[in-house]
Amino acid sequence: MGMNRKGRRKLIHSGRTFYWYVEKEINDYGQKDLIVVSEDKRFNISYEVGQFDKPQTPLVVIKGMEFKGLEGYNRQGWTRVKVPAWEDSIITPGLVKTI
């Protein structure tokens, strides 16, 4: 099944096509999430925007089955992974590639 591309930015990285967008958090806690999804939906992550300014370690929520560094890691459901503190006050294609 295809994915909705309306309102999504297209990014080609390492020969693969990804789509990304920023949306309000589903529970409306005032936070915004960066969503990045590959065209085949195997790579699917959510990153809370604004973690750079917070004291705790930033996290990425992995929703898909692919994520570099977790190959062979047997898991079910979503997984949270600690990531470096990236400057994320402005979301750019460069930051999306870094993630």
Side-chain angles (χ1 to χ4, degrees), residues 1 3 8-10 14 18 23-24 31 36 41 44 61 64 68-69 71 75 80-81 85 88-89 91 94 96:
M1 184 173 153
M3 67 178 289
R8 272 79 165 150
R9 301 270 318 260
K10 184 177 181 178
S14 299
F18 298 88
E23 70 177 4
K24 271 187 141 177
Q31 72 187 40
V36 182
K41 297 183 184 177
N44 183 353
V61 178
K68 187 170 180 144
E71 296 89 355
R75 61 186 173 86
R80 293 178 185 207
V81 177
D88 61 0
S89 57
I91 304 300
V96 175

Side-chain angles (χ1 to χ4, degrees), residues 77-92:
W78 295 1
T79 302
R80 293 178 185 207
V81 177
K82 293 180 182 181
V83 294
W86 296 303
E87 173 54 57
D88 61 0
S89 57
I90 298 175
I91 304 300
T92 64

